[in-house]
Amino acid sequence: MDINKALADLKREPGFADHVGMMLIHNGVVRSWSRKDKNNVVAVRVKPDHDRIAAICKEMQQREGIFRIVAEANEGELQPGDDLLFLIVAGDIRENVKEVFAELLDRVKAEAVTKEEVFG
């Protein structure tokens, strides 16, 4: 995802200026170490469930104050430093946006993305 283009596209949507006062962005990146035990990671095999991600986004976009949610998960064997997951939550005020953003991130990672670390 080109994050600058995605943000510019959102800003061009009808109603944006009337409904958005905050956007939060997540850019998940492949680490060179395992979260579990700090072992050296040379790659990560990623399999997103794109339909599940879309369903979660659609559900959460109905929450109070949320204007739009954009998500993109990369797939395949990714190297440390590669982009893994992009999320954007655009909404009215920080209390609404922060709550939805945190839940969205946790749910997408738990329910819709599987990862297998390759150690080296």
Side-chain angles (χ1 to χ4, degrees):
M1 173 185 291
D2 178 336
I3 201 69
N4 289 322
K5 181 181 180 319
L7 294 174
D9 290 347
L10 275 170
K11 289 179 177 183
R12 283 192 294 275
E13 285 192 32
F16 177 88
D18 294 329
H19 298 286
V20 177
M22 176 182 219
M23 291 190 285
L24 287 179
I25 302 157
H26 168 79
N27 180 185
V29 178
V30 176
R31 290 185 305 274
S32 65
W33 50 271
S34 175
R35 181 179 184 152
K36 180 174 57 176
D37 55 16
K38 305 290 189 209
N39 281 339
N40 186 44
V41 171
V42 296
V44 175
R45 293 184 188 110
V46 181
K47 177 65 178 136
D49 181 338
H50 297 288
D51 291 337
R52 184 70 188 126
I53 292 170
I56 293 168
C57 290
K58 183 177 179 180
E59 172 193 334
M60 298 198 75
Q61 195 167 280
Q62 303 308 308
R63 300 276 179 92
E64 180 180 350
I66 301 304
F67 177 74
R68 189 78 61 242
I69 294 176
V70 179
E72 181 179 296
N74 289 326
E75 187 168 350
E77 187 164 297
L78 305 175
Q79 311 304 310
D82 287 347
D83 293 322
L84 179 64
L85 177 66
F86 291 99
L87 300 173
I88 303 171
V89 177
D92 57 0
I93 58 175
R94 72 177 176 274
E95 291 83 4
N96 292 333
V97 176
K98 285 172 39 180
E99 180 180 322
V100 168
F101 183 80
E103 185 179 342
L104 174 69
L105 176 58
D106 290 344
R107 286 189 61 194
V108 166
K109 293 198 53 102
E111 299 174 28
V113 177
T114 57
K115 297 187 299 184
E116 176 191 354
E117 295 175 322
V118 179
F119 299 101

Coordinates of all heavy atoms in Angstrom, one line a residue, residues 10-11 13-22 65 67 91-93:
L10 N -8.6 8.9 0.8 CA -9.6 9.1 1.8 C -10.0 10.5 1.9 O -11.2 10.8 2.1 CB -9.0 8.6 3.2 CG -9.1 7.2 3.5 CD1 -8.3 6.8 4.8 CD2 -10.5 6.7 3.7
K11 N -9.1 11.4 1.9 CA -9.4 12.9 2.0 C -10.3 13.4 0.9 O -11.0 14.4 1.0 CB -8.1 13.7 2.1 CG -7.4 13.5 3.4 CD -6.1 14.3 3.5 CE -5.4 14.1 4.8 NZ -4.2 15.0 4.9
E13 N -12.7 11.6 -0.4 CA -14.1 11.0 -0.3 C -15.1 12.0 0.1 O -14.8 12.8 1.0 CB -14.1 9.8 0.6 CG -13.4 8.6 0.1 CD -13.7 7.3 1.0 OE1 -14.8 7.3 1.6 OE2 -12.8 6.5 1.1
P14 N -16.3 12.0 -0.5 CA -17.4 12.9 -0.1 C -17.6 12.7 1.4 O -17.7 11.6 1.9 CB -18.6 12.4 -0.9 CG -18.0 11.7 -2.1 CD -16.7 11.1 -1.6
G15 N -17.7 13.8 2.1 CA -18.1 13.7 3.5 C -16.9 13.7 4.5 O -17.0 13.7 5.7
F16 N -15.7 13.5 3.9 CA -14.5 13.3 4.7 C -14.3 14.5 5.7 O -14.2 14.3 6.9 CB -13.2 13.2 3.9 CG -12.0 13.1 4.7 CD1 -11.5 11.9 5.1 CD2 -11.2 14.3 5.0 CE1 -10.3 11.8 5.9 CE2 -10.1 14.2 5.8 CZ -9.6 12.9 6.2
A17 N -14.3 15.7 5.2 CA -14.1 16.9 6.1 C -15.2 17.1 7.1 O -14.9 17.6 8.2 CB -14.0 18.2 5.2
D18 N -16.4 16.6 6.9 CA -17.5 16.7 7.8 C -17.4 15.6 8.9 O -18.1 15.7 9.9 CB -18.8 16.6 7.1 CG -19.0 17.8 6.2 OD1 -18.5 18.9 6.5 OD2 -19.7 17.6 5.1
H19 N -16.7 14.5 8.7 CA -16.8 13.4 9.6 C -15.4 12.9 10.2 O -15.4 12.0 11.0 CB -17.4 12.2 8.9 CG -18.8 12.5 8.4 ND1 -19.9 12.5 9.3 CD2 -19.3 12.8 7.2 CE1 -21.0 12.8 8.6 NE2 -20.6 13.0 7.4
V20 N -14.3 13.5 9.7 CA -13.0 13.0 10.1 C -12.2 14.1 10.8 O -12.0 15.1 10.3 CB -12.2 12.4 9.0 CG1 -10.8 11.9 9.4 CG2 -13.0 11.2 8.3
G21 N -11.8 13.8 12.1 CA -10.9 14.6 12.8 C -9.6 13.9 13.2 O -8.7 14.5 13.8
M22 N -9.6 12.6 12.9 CA -8.4 11.8 13.3 C -8.3 10.6 12.4 O -9.3 10.0 12.0 CB -8.5 11.4 14.7 CG -7.3 10.5 15.2 SD -7.5 10.0 16.9 CE -5.9 10.1 17.4
G65 N -18.8 7.0 15.1 CA -17.8 7.9 14.8 C -16.8 7.5 13.7 O -15.9 8.3 13.4
F67 N -15.6 6.7 10.1 CA -15.9 7.1 8.7 C -15.5 6.0 7.8 O -16.2 5.6 6.9 CB -15.2 8.4 8.4 CG -15.4 8.9 7.0 CD1 -16.6 9.4 6.6 CD2 -14.4 8.8 6.0 CE1 -16.8 9.9 5.2 CE2 -14.5 9.2 4.7 CZ -15.8 9.8 4.3
G91 N -11.9 8.6 11.6 CA -13.1 8.9 12.3 C -13.2 10.3 12.9 O -12.3 11.1 12.7
D92 N -14.2 10.5 13.7 CA -14.5 11.8 14.2 C -13.6 12.3 15.3 O -12.9 13.3 15.2 CB -16.0 11.9 14.6 CG -16.4 10.9 15.7 OD1 -15.6 10.1 16.1 OD2 -17.6 10.9 16.1
I93 N -13.5 11.6 16.4 CA -12.7 12.0 17.6 C -11.9 10.9 18.1 O -12.1 9.7 17.9 CB -13.6 12.5 18.7 CG1 -14.6 11.5 19.2 CG2 -14.4 13.8 18.3 CD1 -15.5 11.8 20.4

